[in-house]
Amino acid sequence: MAYSWFKAFHLIGIVVWFAGLFYLVRLFIYHVEANQEPEPAKTILKTQYEIMEKRLYNIITTPGMLVTVAMAIGLLSTEPEVLKQGWLHIKLLFVCLLVGYHYYCSRLMKQLAADECRWSGQQLRALNEAPTVMLLVIVLLAVFKNNLPTDITVWVVFGLIILMAVTIQLYAKKRRRDKEKLMAQN
């Protein structure tokens, strides 16, 4: 019975953690793009994004990560033999990368607050896709375990990365054109 409780709260933690990670970097994008606004809108927006980022990180994202990790430890304590399986080692590597991403977001948040962030909105859009790729790999490993069809999976992950990169570029191009049209009308 303990396994089911650990698993249920592990899944809830994952959902909360990823929701926070996805939205946090989106806020970073808006924060960076607020620099293009005239005063006083620029200052008002940046102040509001700082508040939203801190609350999201501290009240939702970090607790989601902590619940996820704590419940994973609980799961492993109920089935310690799984620690000997190769798929779990790879999954844990991706989870470690995700934890690193989480803390890197904290660093970016501090840079944004100090007005020292060198990332562009477009670069942050690309960064925002990293947890999607990690989530995909982690879930596939958890579901398929040692039977993961790596030949198909590798191509799907590669295809998704290419698709995301192309989509980001096309969206950025569309936004530039829309902005140019708006400027031309004024």
Side-chain angles (χ1 to χ4, degrees):
M1 189 59 133
Y3 178 85
S4 295
W5 283 105
F6 288 138
K7 189 170 191 174
F9 282 100
H10 180 66
L11 292 171
I12 291 166
I14 290 168
V15 171
V16 171
W17 187 20
F18 273 91
L21 287 176
F22 291 147
Y23 189 47
L24 185 62
V25 179
R26 176 58 52 188
L27 288 175
F28 294 167
I29 294 165
Y30 299 149
H31 193 141
V32 165
E33 290 176 351
N35 284 322
Q36 299 166 0
E37 297 296 323
E39 289 295 349
K42 174 181 173 178
T43 302
I44 292 167
L45 288 169
K46 290 176 74 166
T47 302
Q48 185 61 42
Y49 290 136
E50 255 182 72
I51 292 166
M52 293 169 70
E53 291 159 4
K54 285 178 186 175
R55 287 180 181 165
L56 178 63
Y57 188 83
N58 293 321
I59 298 171
I60 296 172
T61 313
T62 299
M65 177 191 67
L66 294 173
V67 168
T68 301
V69 171
M71 295 302 108
I73 292 167
L75 284 167
L76 292 172
S77 72
T78 63
E79 292 187 345
E81 66 279 357
V82 77
L83 283 168
K84 298 176 185 171
Q85 298 182 15
W87 69 269
L88 185 62
H89 298 160
I90 298 167
K91 178 185 171 192
L92 291 174
L93 171 68
F94 276 92
V95 171
C96 287
L97 290 172
L98 192 60
V99 169
Y101 178 88
H102 177 99
Y103 285 107
Y104 186 72
C105 285
S106 173
R107 182 175 171 206
L108 283 176
M109 192 168 58
K110 290 173 186 167
Q111 289 176 356
L112 285 162
D115 214 16
E116 298 171 353
C117 182
R118 299 187 190 272
W119 287 74
S120 69
Q122 188 172 353
Q123 290 169 325
L124 286 167
R125 280 183 178 80
L127 180 69
N128 199 30
E129 301 307 326
T132 305
V133 174
M134 287 186 257
L135 176 64
L136 176 71
V137 173
I138 291 166
V139 169
L140 289 174
L141 285 165
V143 170
F144 288 102
K145 298 180 179 19
N146 287 324
N147 298 320
L148 182 65
T150 53
D151 54 343
I152 294 170
T153 305
V154 169
W155 288 110
V156 167
V157 170
F158 180 73
L160 284 172
I161 292 169
I162 298 298
L163 180 65
M164 286 186 275
V166 169
T167 302
I168 290 166
Q169 294 300 320
L170 290 174
Y171 181 71
K173 191 174 187 177
K174 179 190 179 308
R175 289 186 70 225
R176 278 194 303 273
R177 284 186 184 161
D178 290 347
K179 191 172 185 175
E180 288 170 3
K181 285 180 187 177
L182 185 63
M183 302 266 300
Q185 290 174 353
N186 294 334

